């Protein structure tokens, strides 16, 4: 994954690396969106245009490849980048004179295709028949995960829909109906995945847990997975903040929907805070288990022990969410000292010099991936998140920054800078 580097005059300085695997996917999309938030904040600075041109390259490369048939909220999430690009490059936009007219046109085409894709997903891949009546209407994570909702879904789908509603699009026919639909996605997950003892959310929910597809991980009675994965908590946390921000922009912040989502936000914020590791201020991969937890066996196979570890992508998502929530008046400012400690701890714990003469950096200790079910029948147990086939940990020996950690860190760093304008 990568983007070419540009100078502020639009000249490509660094071509895309030959081994780059850039694609239209939520990971490069997260990096692109985070970079665009930085561009928007610093848009009056000339250097921001160089960053913008890199993201414009990505957006123009994939504008006509937006999936319009539904089937994956992950695959649509990258479309978030087109809204700020359109606003900057449309007639009268701050960057209109620096960019080709076609960028705004392509961005609007991408936005229209995204609406079509989300509508198709709602129609084809929503929970209809279930033993859990309140789950009906929830959007599936993917077509390959029928009747399943995961914690990242509101970030990939709901937060995207909220941005589009404020861009003048509709999914139910009215903006009021759209806000009801978006809020319901959060409420379904909260209803079935919130653990009132841990004050955390389980990773996933199946509305048909007795069917074979979910049998390996979903509790047959509750439908939920077993454990609490930090990055999943982070996606849901940030999604709440982002949607509440859009509700403020859309002037629907006096509604019951806003009140309910803000209550969810504050409960989750308090829950996550209690698991902060005190020495570094960061958070563990298995958020509710400390450094002493280790796994030596997964699905009946004995393996070399792997210990729970402080995980970078989740820590960055938490930092970004707390800072942004406070900035928007959604969270109590009492979290500021905690966030300052977490941000400093992130730099000290996860940011390492890559050894090049130019002093580049890498972000380590991120979990490459994790999920439930699928071809590997991921069982969602605690050992899975340390020993599973797809959950390898990025180490200093690899000197590799994984995209989810990078995108989350850009968001966290930007919010830190907003909170500390004089530094």
């Amino acid at each position: 994954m990568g983007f070419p580097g540009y100078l502020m005059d639009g000249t490509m300085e660094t071509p895309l690396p030959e081994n780059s695997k850039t694609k239209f996917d939520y990971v490069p999309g997260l990096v692109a969106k985070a970079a665009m938030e930085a561009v928007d904040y610093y848009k009056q600075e000339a250097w921001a245009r160089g960053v913008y041109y890199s993201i414009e390259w990505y957006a123009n490369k994939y504008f006509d490849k937006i999936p319009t048939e539904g089937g994956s909220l992950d695959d649509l999430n990258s479309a978030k980048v087109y809204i700020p690009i359109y606003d900057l490059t449309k007639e009268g936009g701050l960057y209109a004179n620096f960019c080709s007219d076609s960028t705004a046109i392509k961005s609007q085409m991408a936005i229209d295709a995204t609406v079509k894709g989300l509508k198709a997903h709602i129609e084809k891949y929503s929970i209809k028949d279930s033993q859990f009546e309140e789950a009906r209407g929830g959007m599936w994570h993917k077509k390959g995960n029928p009747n399943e909702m995961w914690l990242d879904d509101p970030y990939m789908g709901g937060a995207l829909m909220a941005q589009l509603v404020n861009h003048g699009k509709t999914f139910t026919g009215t903006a009021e109906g759209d806000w009801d639909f978006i809020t319901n996605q959060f409420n379904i997950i909260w209803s079935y995945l919130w653990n009132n003892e841990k004050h955390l959310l389980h990773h996933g929910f199946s509305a048909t847990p007795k069917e074979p597809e979910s049998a390996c991980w979903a509790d047959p009675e509750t439908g939920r997975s077993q454990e609490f994965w930090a990055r999943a908590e982070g996606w849901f946390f940030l999604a709440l903040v982002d949607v509440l921000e859009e509700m403020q922009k859309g002037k629907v912040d006096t509604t019951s929907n806003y009140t309910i989502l803000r209550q969810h936000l504050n409960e989750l914020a308090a829950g996550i805070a209690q698991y902060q590791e005190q020495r570094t201020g960061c958070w563990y991969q298995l958020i509710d288990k400390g450094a002493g937890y280790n796994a030596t066996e997964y699905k009946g196979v004995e393996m070399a022990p792997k210990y729970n570890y402080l995980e970078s992508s989740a820590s960055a998502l938490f930092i970004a969410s707390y800072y942004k929530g406070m900035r928007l008046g959604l969270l109590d400012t009492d979290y500021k000292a905690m966030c300052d400690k977490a941000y400093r701890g992130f730099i000290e714990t996860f940011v390492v010099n890559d050894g090049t003469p130019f002093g580049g950096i890498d972000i380590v200790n991120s979990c490459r991936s994790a999920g439930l079910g699928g071809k590997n029948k991921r069982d969602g147990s605690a050992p899975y998140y340390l020993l599973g086939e797809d959950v390898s940990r990025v180490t200093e020996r690899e000197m590799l920054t994984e995209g989810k950690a990078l995108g989350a860190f850009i968001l966290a760093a930007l919010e830190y800078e907003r909170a500390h304008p004089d530094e």
Side-chain angles (χ1 to χ4, degrees), residues 28-220:
L30 172 67
V31 176
K33 178 185 183 295
M36 281 305 301
E37 288 200 19
V39 167
D40 184 64
Y41 184 61
Y42 288 110
K43 56 181 174 285
Q44 298 293 346
E45 303 288 340
W47 61 260
R49 291 206 302 273
V51 179
Y52 165 79
Y53 285 124
S54 292
I55 307 307
E56 181 190 45
W57 170 89
Y58 174 79
N60 285 342
K61 181 177 177 65
Y62 293 103
F63 82 96
D64 58 351
K65 297 177 178 62
I66 310 291
T68 58
E69 297 301 316
S72 173
L73 295 176
D74 284 354
D75 290 348
L76 288 168
N77 180 67
S78 288
K80 289 176 181 175
V81 76
Y82 289 102
I83 297 173
I85 287 179
Y86 176 80
D87 289 338
L88 283 171
T89 59
K90 67 184 179 182
E91 184 176 355
L94 187 62
Y95 282 8
N97 294 332
F98 301 115
C99 305
S100 167
D101 293 340
S102 65
T103 294
I105 295 170
K106 290 175 180 177
S107 294
Q108 189 59 61
M109 292 172 63
I111 290 168
D112 292 340
T114 303
V115 173
K116 185 176 180 180
L118 278 168
K119 285 183 175 180
H121 192 89
I122 293 168
E123 180 181 351
K124 298 177 186 177
Y125 306 110
S126 292
I127 298 169
K128 297 179 176 64
D129 297 317
S130 171
Q131 68 193 66
F132 307 101
E133 289 195 11
E134 292 180 2
R136 292 173 185 173
M139 292 188 289
W140 298 5
H141 178 69
K142 289 182 181 179
K143 64 181 179 181
N145 302 94
N147 296 310
E148 295 178 16
M149 299 180 74
W150 298 3
L151 286 189
D152 55 319
D153 295 345
Y155 182 81
M156 307 301 169
L160 171 60
M161 289 179 67
Q163 286 185 265
L164 291 167
V165 171
N166 279 341
H167 194 71
K169 304 301 180 180
T170 184
F171 299 88
T172 66
T174 67
E176 182 180 3
D178 292 338
W179 290 120
D180 287 343
F181 181 88
I182 293 166
T183 301
N184 192 43
Q185 302 305 305
F186 286 91
N187 286 342
I188 292 171
I189 287 178
W190 192 270
S191 176
Y192 293 106
L193 293 183
W194 177 251
N195 186 304
N196 208 38
E197 293 180 3
K198 296 280 189 177
H199 293 98
L200 293 169
L201 291 149
H202 294 262
H203 185 177
F205 164 72
S206 171
T208 51
K210 296 178 181 178
E211 293 185 1
E213 294 90 341
S214 299
C216 70
W217 64 266
D219 182 283

Side-chain angles (χ1 to χ4, degrees), residues 233-302:
E233 308 286 338
W235 288 130
F236 193 84
F237 193 9
L238 187 56
L240 282 167
V241 175
D242 283 355
V243 168
L244 286 163
E245 178 187 34
E246 294 300 324
M247 285 183 161
Q248 291 176 350
K249 291 178 181 178
K251 302 188 184 307
V252 290
D253 51 349
T254 59
T255 63
S256 60
N257 286 335
Y258 184 87
T259 300
I260 290 168
L261 293 188
R262 188 171 178 186
Q263 181 178 344
H264 292 339
L265 174 67
N266 278 272
E267 287 191 57
L268 182 57
I272 290 170
Q274 70 181 338
Y275 295 104
Q276 184 184 37
E277 197 269 334
Q278 290 307 303
R279 183 181 63 84
T280 64
C282 299
W283 284 265
Y284 282 95
Q285 162 81 341
L286 286 161
I287 186 172
D288 63 320
K289 295 174 172 54
Y293 177 79
N294 70 91
T296 60
E297 181 180 312
Y298 175 53
K299 294 197 293 190
V301 179
E302 291 189 8

Side-chain angles (χ1 to χ4, degrees), residues 230 281-284 310-320 342 346 350 408 412:
C282 299
W283 284 265
Y284 282 95
L310 294 169
E311 204 277 338
S312 57
S313 66
S315 295
L317 288 170
F318 295 158
I319 294 166
F346 187 100
F350 303 124

